[in-house]
Amino acid sequence: MSVRVVFLLLAVAFGTFAAWMLLNRPEPVSVTMARLEPMGNAPGTARLYLEIGGSEGPDRLLGVSSPDATAARFAGLADTGPFPIPAGGTAMLSSDGVYAVFSGINSPLEEGRLLPVALEFERSGTVSTR
Protein backbone atom coordinates (compact mmCIF):
# COMPACT_ATOMS: atom_id res chain seq x y z
CA MET A 1 0.00 0.00 0.00
CA SER A 2 1.44 3.37 -0.93
CA VAL A 3 2.02 6.24 1.48
CA ARG A 4 -0.62 8.32 -0.32
CA VAL A 5 -3.30 5.66 0.21
CA VAL A 6 -2.41 5.40 3.92
CA PHE A 7 -2.63 9.18 4.34
CA LEU A 8 -5.93 9.25 2.45
CA LEU A 9 -7.39 6.53 4.68
CA LEU A 10 -6.20 8.35 7.80
CA ALA A 11 -7.71 11.63 6.55
CA VAL A 12 -11.06 9.95 5.86
CA ALA A 13 -11.04 8.26 9.27
CA PHE A 14 -10.19 11.51 11.05
CA GLY A 15 -12.85 13.44 9.11
CA THR A 16 -15.48 10.81 9.95
CA PHE A 17 -14.54 10.90 13.63
CA ALA A 18 -14.60 14.72 13.73
CA ALA A 19 -18.05 14.81 12.09
CA TRP A 20 -19.35 12.18 14.54
CA MET A 21 -18.03 14.23 17.50
CA LEU A 22 -19.74 17.40 16.24
CA LEU A 23 -23.05 15.65 15.65
CA ASN A 24 -23.03 13.80 18.99
CA ARG A 25 -21.91 16.70 21.16
CA PRO A 26 -24.48 17.25 23.93
CA GLU A 27 -26.58 20.36 23.64
CA PRO A 28 -25.82 22.66 26.56
CA VAL A 29 -28.54 23.25 29.08
CA SER A 30 -30.19 26.67 29.29
CA VAL A 31 -30.34 28.64 32.51
CA THR A 32 -33.17 31.16 32.99
CA MET A 33 -35.07 32.96 35.75
CA ALA A 34 -31.97 33.24 37.99
CA ARG A 35 -32.69 35.11 41.22
CA LEU A 36 -30.47 35.73 44.22
CA GLU A 37 -32.18 36.17 47.61
CA PRO A 38 -30.10 37.51 50.54
CA MET A 39 -30.49 35.61 53.79
CA GLY A 40 -31.30 38.34 56.32
CA ASN A 41 -30.02 36.37 59.31
CA ALA A 42 -26.61 35.68 57.70
CA PRO A 43 -24.81 38.71 56.19
CA GLY A 44 -22.89 37.89 53.00
CA THR A 45 -25.04 34.80 52.40
CA ALA A 46 -27.71 34.34 49.72
CA ARG A 47 -29.84 31.65 48.13
CA LEU A 48 -29.88 31.11 44.38
CA TYR A 49 -33.05 30.03 42.57
CA LEU A 50 -33.20 29.36 38.82
CA GLU A 51 -34.71 27.25 36.05
CA ILE A 52 -32.65 24.80 34.00
CA GLY A 53 -33.82 23.64 30.58
CA GLY A 54 -32.70 20.12 29.76
CA SER A 55 -30.61 19.23 26.75
CA GLU A 56 -31.42 16.42 24.32
CA GLY A 57 -30.14 13.85 26.81
CA PRO A 58 -30.36 13.74 30.59
CA ASP A 59 -27.76 15.63 32.58
CA ARG A 60 -26.87 16.26 36.21
CA LEU A 61 -25.94 19.48 37.99
CA LEU A 62 -22.83 18.58 39.96
CA GLY A 63 -21.96 21.88 41.61
CA VAL A 64 -22.15 25.66 41.69
CA SER A 65 -19.56 28.35 42.33
CA SER A 66 -18.97 32.09 42.16
CA PRO A 67 -15.77 34.12 42.19
CA ASP A 68 -17.60 36.62 44.45
CA ALA A 69 -18.31 34.02 47.19
CA THR A 70 -15.98 31.96 49.35
CA ALA A 71 -18.27 28.92 49.43
CA ALA A 72 -21.25 27.44 47.58
CA ARG A 73 -23.35 24.38 48.32
CA PHE A 74 -26.71 22.81 47.63
CA ALA A 75 -29.36 22.89 50.35
CA GLY A 76 -33.09 22.35 50.71
CA LEU A 77 -35.65 19.65 51.29
CA ALA A 78 -34.51 17.06 48.76
CA ASP A 79 -31.30 15.08 48.46
CA THR A 80 -28.46 17.52 47.84
CA GLY A 81 -26.34 15.14 45.76
CA PRO A 82 -26.01 15.60 42.00
CA PHE A 83 -29.21 17.29 40.84
CA PRO A 84 -30.87 15.46 37.88
CA ILE A 85 -31.91 17.38 34.76
CA PRO A 86 -34.41 15.43 32.62
CA ALA A 87 -33.85 15.08 28.87
CA GLY A 88 -35.78 17.80 27.07
CA GLY A 89 -37.47 18.91 30.31
CA THR A 90 -36.88 21.52 32.96
CA ALA A 91 -35.71 21.45 36.55
CA MET A 92 -35.67 24.19 39.13
CA LEU A 93 -33.58 25.27 42.05
CA SER A 94 -36.36 26.67 44.23
CA SER A 95 -37.25 27.52 47.81
CA ASP A 96 -39.50 24.46 48.12
CA GLY A 97 -36.88 22.00 46.87
CA VAL A 98 -33.16 22.12 46.25
CA TYR A 99 -31.45 25.51 45.95
CA ALA A 100 -27.88 26.83 46.05
CA VAL A 101 -26.45 28.78 48.98
CA PHE A 102 -23.51 31.15 48.54
CA SER A 103 -21.65 32.39 51.59
CA GLY A 104 -18.79 34.80 52.09
CA ILE A 105 -20.07 37.13 49.37
CA ASN A 106 -17.46 39.87 49.38
CA SER A 107 -19.60 42.93 48.57
CA PRO A 108 -23.03 44.24 49.63
CA LEU A 109 -26.10 42.37 48.41
CA GLU A 110 -28.16 45.25 47.07
CA GLU A 111 -31.23 45.30 44.83
CA GLY A 112 -30.16 44.69 41.22
CA ARG A 113 -26.77 43.22 42.15
CA LEU A 114 -25.49 40.67 39.66
CA LEU A 115 -23.49 37.75 41.02
CA PRO A 116 -21.49 35.74 38.47
CA VAL A 117 -22.33 32.06 38.87
CA ALA A 118 -20.86 28.95 37.24
CA LEU A 119 -22.94 25.77 37.15
CA GLU A 120 -21.02 22.53 36.52
CA PHE A 121 -22.96 19.85 34.64
CA GLU A 122 -21.93 16.24 34.06
CA ARG A 123 -22.54 16.29 30.27
CA SER A 124 -22.91 19.96 29.37
CA GLY A 125 -19.81 21.19 31.17
CA THR A 126 -19.75 24.62 32.78
CA VAL A 127 -22.58 27.08 32.11
CA SER A 128 -22.22 30.65 33.38
CA THR A 129 -24.95 33.11 34.31
CA ARG A 130 -25.47 36.20 36.48
Side-chain angles (χ1 to χ4, degrees):
M1 197 182 307
S2 75
V3 173
R4 285 185 177 171
V5 171
V6 170
F7 280 124
L8 180 62
L9 289 174
L10 286 173
V12 169
F14 177 77
T16 303
F17 177 73
W20 180 83
M21 288 296 290
L22 285 173
L23 293 173
N24 288 299
R25 185 177 63 199
E27 283 291 314
V29 297
S30 63
V31 177
T32 58
M33 309 283 288
R35 181 173 59 96
L36 192 66
E37 182 180 284
M39 295 173 67
N41 60 346
T45 303
R47 291 183 183 111
L48 174 69
Y49 308 118
L50 51 80
E51 184 174 304
I52 303 165
S55 61
E56 291 176 2
D59 208 339
R60 294 188 317 160
L61 177 59
L62 303 175
V64 295
S65 63
S66 174
D68 291 357
T70 58
R73 62 181 174 82
F74 292 118
L77 300 175
D79 178 13
T80 55
F83 188 69
I85 312 299
T90 58
M92 296 188 75
L93 297 183
S94 63
S95 61
D96 63 349
V98 175
Y99 52 89
V101 175
F102 293 97
S103 58
I105 299 173
N106 55 20
S107 59
L109 293 171
E110 300 170 341
E111 183 78 28
R113 162 90 193 277
L114 298 177
L115 184 79
V117 173
L119 296 104
E120 183 66 33
F121 293 91
E122 185 173 65
R123 292 185 64 225
S124 299
T126 302
V127 175
S128 298
T129 190
R130 291 180 169 256

